[in-house]
Structures are given as structure tokens and as C-alpha cells.
Amino acid sequence: MRTGLAVLFVLMAVPACSESSEHLKPRQQALFGQAEVARSRGDVEEAGKILADMAAGYWSAVGYLNLSSDYARNDLNPSRALVALRVALAMADKDADTQRKTDLQARIFLRAGYLSYINSEYEKAIGFLERIPLNSHKTPQALYFHGLALAEQGHHRAAMQSWHRAKKYPLAYPGVAEAWLGMGRGYDLAGYLGQAGEAYLSANAAYESERVTLRKLARQIEDQGAYKALVLDAQGSFFDESGFGSPKVEWFLADSRTLAQPRMAYLLGFMEQPASQEAVSRVANLEQMEVQLQANVQDLDVFIASITGQLESSDSPNETVKQEALNRAHSRLQTRLNVLLERLGSRELSADQRQQLRIAKMTLLDSGRQLAKFQGLFANRSRDLKALLVEARQLRESSLSHLESVSALRGPSEVLLDELALGFVKKRDKKMMVALDKTEQQIAHLYEYLALKELESGEQGR
């Protein structure tokens, strides 16, 4: 079974993820980067020494997971790779981010299960694979390898149950296409040739349907761009059975059924590659900057209109007339108070009357000072508003210039993302073509075998 059904499991390095600002993380990220540099030049011993000095957590776990890839690639025996995975699992357990920890643990268990399987440790492989959560996007591939391990132990019916469960996921996930093929092979080995033929035909139809879906996705990427067709639509919608239905609910409000949606499956597969992550992040950041700059320009337009209106009202003749009227009124009050004081100069006044006159005199004096101060502030206000208007217009021009630059950068970035996405879709289409070829060969062999059996039966009857 292993030779006929096992697929090449690419032991990719896990791409780094962005982090929040915990005090240890800058140092851990730096050490992880140093380990990756050493690993990339083939110095796994140096990479291991660097990882040994790191604190337990996400970055050290990813480092050991990547290190296990090198061990698995270079060693004939996977024991050293499995030890690195055990260390990675222990490191990942210290990660405070529960969702990220769960995802990383699923990757580790899948890698450990596969390595145990190729080392013919089937019971150990089954144990690792069964620890992967059912809501992980690694589950379909885990189910496929789980079936392979069971088949190697002779449990063909149980193996087919695992593959049947894997078939319920979109063909975009690794392991699903192989599970469809495995069902036919399982029936064949169990001696149910008719059901084997039906399983191969069903697999053939599923692969053809998937190619139609891929062609439709490729057209949408060409028409709408990959960011809209693949990223935004996958996050913002549930889809119908073809994966291209109308938007329904926000993706972050959806349950684990989101994993059963074809476009989300393609997005997850596409985002496995570091180059894809960078391309999507670049377009997303440019879009965010563009939206922010457009909002800034609109806010500045409102601000400029408000300042212009205030300046027009402050420079109007009515304001000058009002200020002159206030000055004349204050002068009249001052004159009347002076006349009153002259008339009362020779008279005997009570203490209360003298107090009232002093209050009136001080009030009028204060009002005069406040009026002069207000007029000075009014003159300064006009000058300050004009300065603000100049600054606001400069900021608006600067924002428009930046907006033009961002728009110019976004075009090539989207083109690059489109090229990566179309290349990804093309590779998936080739994978479906290979799967189709395999099923057609199996169907041909099965029909040839049945024809020979029928011929032999006829000759024996004669």
C-alpha cells in the first residue's frame, strides 16, 4: 500500500509570523533569525546551538520544527528529526497564544506522524496523527496518512473510513486527492472490484469538477485581481458547494465549517508560502495606507472649509462695525461716570454709596481692559487662522502626493500578487491532472483485469 498511495510530503520550513510586543520577543525573534541564517547555509549544528539558548515559546518551537526538516532531509533514519519535533512540541506548549499554539502543534504532530509512518512505526504514527484537532486545516492530510498507517497494519476497512472522512474536505487541501484514490485502491485490495471501479470513477469526476473550479478561480483572479478574488472573498463569505457563492457572514464569525469552503482552502494553501505572505501583506498595507490618506484628504477639506468660513466672517464689515460700536459704548459709559463723579464731588456720601461708586469705576476700568485685550486676541486669531489655513493646504497637498505614490506602488504589487496566485492555481491544476491520469490508469487496469477474468471464464466454460 505504501508504494501505491504514499505521496511526497514536502517538509517545508514554517514561515515566521508577526508578533506583539512582549519584552522577550525581540530577542527571541533575533535568535530565531540567526538560527535560520545558519540553517540556510547548511550549518545545522550552529542552528541547534542557537536554538538551545532560546527561551521556551513559539519562536524556539518553530526553530526546532524547521530543524527537523533538515534532519529528515539529510538523515536516512528519522530518529533525530523526531527528537527535534519532541523538543518543538515542548517549546510550543509554553506559547501564551492559544490559537497559534494549537496550529503549530497540529503541524508538529503531522510531521511526527509522517516521519513515524515512513519509519514503519505505524502505531506511533497513528498516535501522533490522532492528536491533531478536527478543526485544523491539517486534518485532511492527517486523515490520509492515518489511513495509510492503518492499511499497512492490514486494517483496510478502518483505513477506508479515514479516507472517507478526508474526502469530505475540499480537494484544495493536501491529502484529499490521494484519499479519493485510496478509496478505490482499498476496495480493490479487499476484493470488491465493482465498488473499486465506482470509487475510481467518482474520484475522476471529483478531479474534473475541481479543475473547473480552478479555471473559474483563475478567471476571477485575472478579472478582479488576486487580492479581491482570493483573499477578500475567502475571508468575507461563506460559499455554495462550488465555493463561489454569494457573501453571507463575516469570516471571523464563522465556525469550523469555514474549513470546508474551497476558496478558504485555497487561501490557506496559498498563504503557506512566505512569498505569498509577503505579497498579500504588501498589497494589504498599501490598501490601508490608501484608505487612510483618502480619509486624511477628506478631513483636511472639511478643516480648510471651516477655517475659510471663519476668516471670511472675521474680515467682514459687520465685525468692524460691531467692534467700533463696543468702543463707543464703553466711551459713553466712561464719560457718564466721570460726569457723575464731578456732580457728587462736593456732597457728603454714605459709606455704602462710596463703595458702589468705587465698584462701578473698577468695573468700567476692567471692561475697558478686557475689551482692548479681546480686540488684540481677535486680531491675532485672524493671523493664526491664516497660518493654520496655509499649513492645512500644505498637508493636503502632501497627502495627495503620498496618495499618488501609494497608488503607483499598489499597481505593481497587485500584479506580482496576481502572478503568484495564478502560478499557485496552475500548480494545483497540474496536480489534478496527475490525479486524473492516475485514476484513468487504475480504471483501465481494472477493466483490463475484468476483461481477462471474463475471457478466462468463457474459455473454461467451453
Side-chain angles (χ1 to χ4, degrees), residues 120-355:
S120 300
E121 297 179 297
Y122 306 121
E123 201 62 42
K124 184 185 291 185
I126 291 170
F128 283 129
L129 295 169
E130 287 181 349
R131 296 179 68 181
I132 296 175
L134 291 177
N135 60 352
S136 170
H137 66 283
K138 295 297 181 183
T139 300
Q141 195 171 26
L143 287 169
Y144 171 64
F145 286 123
H146 187 264
L148 287 181
L150 288 169
E152 290 292 344
Q153 293 179 321
H155 307 310
H156 298 296
R157 185 178 296 275
M160 292 175 67
Q161 289 176 348
S162 292
W163 294 330
H164 181 72
R165 291 169 64 193
K167 282 173 50 186
K168 295 180 180 180
Y169 290 85
L171 279 161
Y173 288 116
V176 178
E178 293 78 13
W180 278 87
L181 194 61
M183 290 295 292
R185 183 61 176 160
Y187 281 124
D188 189 359
L189 291 174
Y192 299 104
L193 300 185
Q195 289 173 295
E198 291 177 3
Y200 285 135
L201 289 172
S202 297
N204 195 278
Y207 299 152
E208 288 284 8
S209 176
E210 192 67 12
R211 292 198 67 198
V212 172
T213 299
L214 286 165
R215 287 195 292 270
K216 188 170 184 178
L217 178 57
R219 285 196 300 271
Q220 289 189 346
I221 290 173
E222 292 170 349
D223 295 341
Q224 305 173 7
Y227 190 67
K228 169 67 170 63
L230 188 59
V231 180
L232 296 182
D233 284 357
Q235 292 179 344
S237 307
F238 269 131
F239 303 100
D240 57 21
E241 291 181 359
S242 67
F244 298 95
S246 57
K248 293 183 180 179
V249 295
E250 293 299 321
W251 71 278
F252 49 80
L253 297 180
D255 57 24
S256 60
R257 288 175 299 171
T258 308
L259 294 175
Q261 307 307 320
R263 199 171 321 205
M264 179 58 76
Y266 284 123
L267 175 61
L268 290 170
F270 181 62
M271 294 299 287
E272 288 278 348
Q273 305 300 322
S276 302
Q277 293 180 21
E278 291 176 5
V280 170
S281 177
R282 188 184 303 114
V283 173
N285 288 336
L286 288 171
E287 183 194 46
Q288 186 177 7
M289 282 189 275
E290 195 171 43
V291 171
Q292 185 61 56
L293 286 167
Q294 288 172 345
N296 290 347
V297 170
Q298 292 175 356
D299 292 343
L300 286 167
D301 284 339
V302 174
F303 188 58
I304 289 169
S306 176
I307 294 176
T308 303
Q310 292 183 53
L311 282 172
E312 289 175 353
S313 64
S314 64
D315 293 338
S316 66
N318 290 336
E319 291 296 328
T320 304
V321 170
K322 290 178 182 178
Q323 292 183 39
E324 291 176 352
L326 286 172
N327 289 331
R328 287 196 299 271
H330 185 268
S331 297
R332 285 197 299 270
L333 288 172
Q334 186 66 52
T335 301
R336 291 175 64 183
L337 181 61
N338 292 335
V339 171
L340 180 61
L341 291 173
E342 288 177 2
R343 290 178 180 176
L344 297 175
S346 57
R347 296 183 184 181
E348 290 291 335
L349 299 175
S350 65
D352 184 57
Q353 289 174 330
R354 286 195 298 271
Q355 179 67 18

